[in-house]
Amino acid sequence: MSSHNIVLGPLLGLEGEHENATLYSVCFLSENDVDAATLAYRIGKQNLRSEFSLISSLSRGKFWRAEIAIPLTTLDQVCHYQILIDAQPASYAPTRNTLLADWSFFCPAAKQRVQLAFASCNGFSSDKLRAQHPAPIDYLWQRMQQQQAAHMANVDYTEVVDAPYAALMMGGDQIYADAIFNEKQPLYAWSQKPLKEQLSAPVSDTLRQRIDQFYLDTYIRSWTQSAALRYCLASIPSIMMWDDHDIIDGWGSQPYRLETSPAYRAMFDSAKRYFTLLQVRGINNRALQQRNTAPAHFGMTVRFRDYGLLVMDNRSQRTLHNIMGSGKPDFIQGLAELQAGWQAGQKLLVLSGVPFLYRHFSESENNIRLSIQFDAYDDMADHWRFSTHYDEMCSVLQRLLQFQAALQANTPTKVFIISGDVHVAASGTYREQADTGNPSSTGNIVQLISSGIVHPPPLSMEQSVIRLASSVTQPDIDLGGGCVLSTTLRKDASGNRFLFHRNYACMHEGSDHKVWVNWHYETIDFPHANDLAVGAQKLLGPTLGYQVLGLPY
């Protein structure tokens, strides 16, 4: 008899609109003794089934994938699903005394405006930070779960802000793999060697297996310890892209000789393997720009209701001198494909793990010295405005402005870049300075930052340095050909450009035809904020609450 336990999952993915249907994927990790599994789902009065395909056998079990294609209709739909093993519902225990064996998600009508959620930085970069933060550490995942459950219980909404989340975008650092160098972890002994030995130290088969096991264990631990996160991953269709901590802190922004060393290559190989399985949900993901047995990057193009999404993979081929690698031509092709089928009222949403517009990293020696007092050099080199990435940044911005200009005559088109990484919330704009010969030919790109949903904000002293660095006037960007962009980071009433709280964002177009972005952010010692705070007040330490910052664009 096979085990009915779900080790990890279900993981619900969104792969976009294809052939008059919205395509979703469902993946899960079973026990090793499972030989087959069936996806049973219900849409309205239709009861349907799809067989799972085994896509990988792992040390902790077997990883399965199935698809759900929901035809586009004029009405919103709810899909209920179960995973069947030996004709019995498979389950997991979100709490000690309960089992969960069925899930549901929301599929919006064909012409419906949708509400999207965005989260990043789902973890802690050190055990010290984790120990310092008051419980519960998944506070904002609980907030998202509460919202989704409440909206799913009443899908007869009038404003899109009250609709269930139709998709969850996760912009990087879905796990934190930095502990691989800790004592008792696979690369602790390697990390204690002199640099010269690190660069050449071979990786034995045993060590390679330990590294591989470390990444799998990190995913299982990170994605199962929070019942709220597990609910969201199973009940809100997601699109994920990795950033550095999914591999190792600063990956791609460290010296070439280090990143090509045997130990670093072994880390990357294992990180890529589990990213491909657990975040991308396999190489058959219909959203991938490169769909082959060995993709060089994992950039995605997604059509979904009133959004066209471009998801940039800025880690697979990143070096100190190049961010996108072979993803650049696919990014351009993705823009062309979206433009060819563009519908009035759609908005372009570009997902970039690291924001384009953030605090200015001055090339002056004093500001560099101030910056690296708190940020490692690789953190500075991560940013698009770093000297070696500046021209590449200009090229991408130029393409986005060309996309917007090509559509503007027929349908006003809003362009957004949404990013995580930097552990603050913020927003800003790139605005094309008017051509004196044609004052109306100006483009506008909005940068949104939401980070992190679990990782805490910078410490107070580092916040002071960030404020100081961001007080420098952002210089214009000359894209060439007479195109100059002015850059602005939004200030609040107190003159602050950054929200230093854990947060996640959601966005939708309201009845006023403005795109509303709502940052749900955590506050400390803010009692009676919601029902979660009631439980938090029982703690002897600080209590938690949340507030919402809503801005129209």
Side-chain angles (χ1 to χ4, degrees):
M1 178 68 70
S2 300
S3 168
H4 298 157
N5 296 327
I6 296 176
V7 179
L8 176 63
L11 306 175
L12 176 65
L14 170 65
E15 300 186 12
E17 297 171 6
H18 302 273
E19 301 168 0
N20 243 11
T22 308
L23 188 62
Y24 300 91
S25 59
V26 178
C27 295
F28 77 103
L29 183 66
S30 72
E31 301 282 5
N32 276 309
D33 61 351
V34 174
D35 295 321
T38 300
L39 178 66
Y41 58 100
R42 184 178 80 254
I43 305 171
K45 296 182 179 180
Q46 281 189 302
N47 291 302
L48 303 164
R49 293 195 173 199
S50 176
E51 296 304 312
F52 278 96
S53 298
L54 176 64
I55 61 174
S56 189
S57 293
L58 308 174
S59 61
R60 296 280 298 273
K62 295 178 179 178
F63 195 70
W64 305 83
R65 170 188 165 92
E67 294 182 353
I68 299 175
I70 300 182
L72 295 174
T73 69
T74 57
L75 299 174
D76 295 334
Q77 301 175 83
V78 174
C79 178
H80 304 267
Y81 71 95
Q82 288 185 319
I83 296 170
L84 304 180
I85 298 173
D86 295 331
Q88 298 299 315
S91 63
Y92 68 83
T95 64
R96 182 173 298 178
N97 300 316
T98 60
L99 286 177
L100 192 57
D102 56 272
W103 303 270
S104 61
F105 65 92
F106 174 71
C107 180
K111 301 295 183 181
Q112 180 62 275
R113 297 190 301 271
V114 299
Q115 180 163 215
L116 307 177
F118 175 83
S120 65
C121 303
N122 175 50
F124 294 86
S125 53
S126 73
D127 292 338
K128 181 180 179 180
L129 282 174
R130 178 190 292 270
Q132 289 175 342
H133 201 83
I137 61 172
D138 65 341
Y139 186 76
L140 290 176
W141 283 118
Q142 293 184 42
R143 162 71 173 161
M144 187 183 293
Q145 177 189 19
Q146 283 188 337
Q147 283 191 305
Q148 186 72 355
H151 292 161
M152 287 290 288
N154 181 21
V155 294
D156 296 327
Y157 56 91
T158 54
E159 290 287 338
V160 182
V161 69
D162 297 319
Y165 294 127
L168 168 62
M169 297 172 293
M170 298 186 72
D173 300 341
Q174 276 68 257
I175 64 165
Y176 277 72
D178 308 326
I180 197 168
F181 298 120
N182 289 0
E183 192 172 358
K184 299 182 180 180
Q185 296 301 336
L187 288 178
Y188 175 73
W190 176 90
S191 70
Q192 302 304 301
K193 297 178 184 291
L195 177 59
K196 185 176 180 179
E197 293 182 30
Q198 289 180 348
L199 296 177
S200 59
V203 177
S204 67
D205 290 343
T206 300
L207 179 56
R208 192 176 300 276
Q209 291 171 3
R210 289 188 63 208
I211 291 171
D212 198 77
Q213 189 66 48
F214 168 84
Y215 279 96
L216 177 57
D217 289 345
T218 300
Y219 270 101
I220 293 174
R221 183 178 62 255
S222 299
W223 287 7
T224 61
Q225 64 185 356
S226 164
L229 169 59
R230 203 163 186 179
Y231 167 91
C232 291
L233 293 180
S235 307
I236 309 176
S238 64
I239 298 171
M240 299 187 191
M241 181 51 66
W242 62 355
D243 202 28
D244 58 338
H245 290 278
D246 298 287
I247 310 166
I248 192 67
D249 183 21
W251 178 267
S253 297
Q254 299 185 34
Y256 178 79
R257 59 179 183 157
L258 183 61
E259 294 196 340
T260 53
S261 67
Y264 264 61
R265 294 315 304 178
M267 280 193 296
F268 181 78
D269 290 345
S270 290
K272 181 179 179 180
R273 179 188 185 192
Y274 293 110
F275 166 72
T276 306
L277 285 175
L278 304 179
Q279 296 197 41
V280 180
R281 321 284 160 64
I283 57 174
N284 290 325
N285 187 327
R286 291 282 295 277
L288 286 172
Q289 294 168 341
Q290 290 189 358
R291 295 184 65 212
N292 53 57
T293 55
H297 73 88
F298 295 89
M300 303 179 202
T301 304
V302 182
R303 297 180 187 275
F304 185 59
R305 305 307 188 262
D306 56 328
Y307 287 93
L309 288 85
L310 275 180
V311 183
M312 304 173 72
D313 178 359
N314 294 334
R315 289 295 165 183
S316 290
Q317 296 179 289
R318 175 189 281 267
T319 69
L320 278 169
H321 300 283
N322 188 283
I323 292 178
M324 298 183 70
S326 65
K328 177 72 175 294
D330 287 327
F331 177 85
I332 295 170
Q333 179 62 29
L335 281 175
E337 291 173 3
L338 289 173
Q339 183 178 329
W342 202 253
Q343 301 293 320
Q346 287 187 313
K347 299 160 283 289
L348 178 65
L349 185 58
V350 178
L351 179 58
S352 169
V354 177
F356 281 71
L357 179 56
Y358 182 50
R359 64 184 173 103
H360 178 53
F361 290 92
S362 171
E363 294 296 336
S364 75
E365 187 175 328
N366 287 338
N367 277 347
I368 285 181
R369 181 177 56 79
L370 278 173
S371 295
I372 63 175
Q373 182 177 350
F374 299 100
D375 295 334
Y377 178 85
D378 58 78
D379 288 331
M380 289 182 61
D382 262 0
H383 286 272
W384 285 95
R385 293 199 68 148
F386 193 69
S387 58
T388 57
H389 303 317
Y390 187 83
D391 289 344
E392 191 175 3
M393 176 193 72
C394 290
S395 175
V396 173
L397 292 174
Q398 184 72 268
R399 292 286 180 177
L400 295 178
L401 289 170
Q402 290 171 356
F403 173 89
Q404 188 176 48
L407 296 168
Q408 209 75 308
N410 298 320
T411 174
T413 301
K414 295 179 180 180
V415 177
F416 297 88
I417 301 171
I418 189 162
S419 310
D421 183 77
V422 291
H423 306 153
V424 299
S427 66
T429 57
Y430 287 109
R431 194 178 304 277
E432 186 178 358
Q433 295 180 7
D435 185 337
T436 53
N438 184 10
S440 63
S441 64
T442 58
N444 187 64
I445 300 171
V446 176
Q447 170 76 72
L448 306 169
I449 303 172
S450 179
S451 172
I453 193 166
V454 170
H455 198 285
L459 300 174
S460 57
M461 188 176 295
E462 187 177 359
Q463 291 179 24
S464 299
V465 172
I466 292 173
R467 288 191 179 97
L468 175 62
S470 64
S471 66
V472 179
T473 301
Q474 295 270 342
D476 293 342
I477 297 175
D478 187 349
L479 299 182
C483 181
V484 178
L485 296 182
S486 58
T487 60
T488 307
L489 276 168
R490 178 189 175 273
K491 295 181 184 178
D492 64 14
S494 302
N496 295 316
R497 292 177 172 85
F498 303 111
L499 181 65
F500 292 105
H501 296 277
R502 298 200 304 180
N503 65 90
Y504 68 89
C506 56
M507 59 191 301
H508 70 280
E509 182 178 342
S511 55
D512 56 2
H513 300 294
K514 294 179 180 178
V515 176
W516 282 86
V517 182
N518 296 309
W519 283 269
H520 298 249
Y521 65 96
E522 174 190 68
T523 60
I524 307 293
D525 291 321
F526 189 82
H528 309 300
N530 70 341
D531 51 342
L532 287 178
V534 174
Q537 287 175 49
K538 297 177 182 177
L539 302 172
L540 296 178
T543 59
L544 302 177
Y546 70 83
Q547 291 181 310
V548 181
L549 170 64
L551 296 173
Y553 294 93

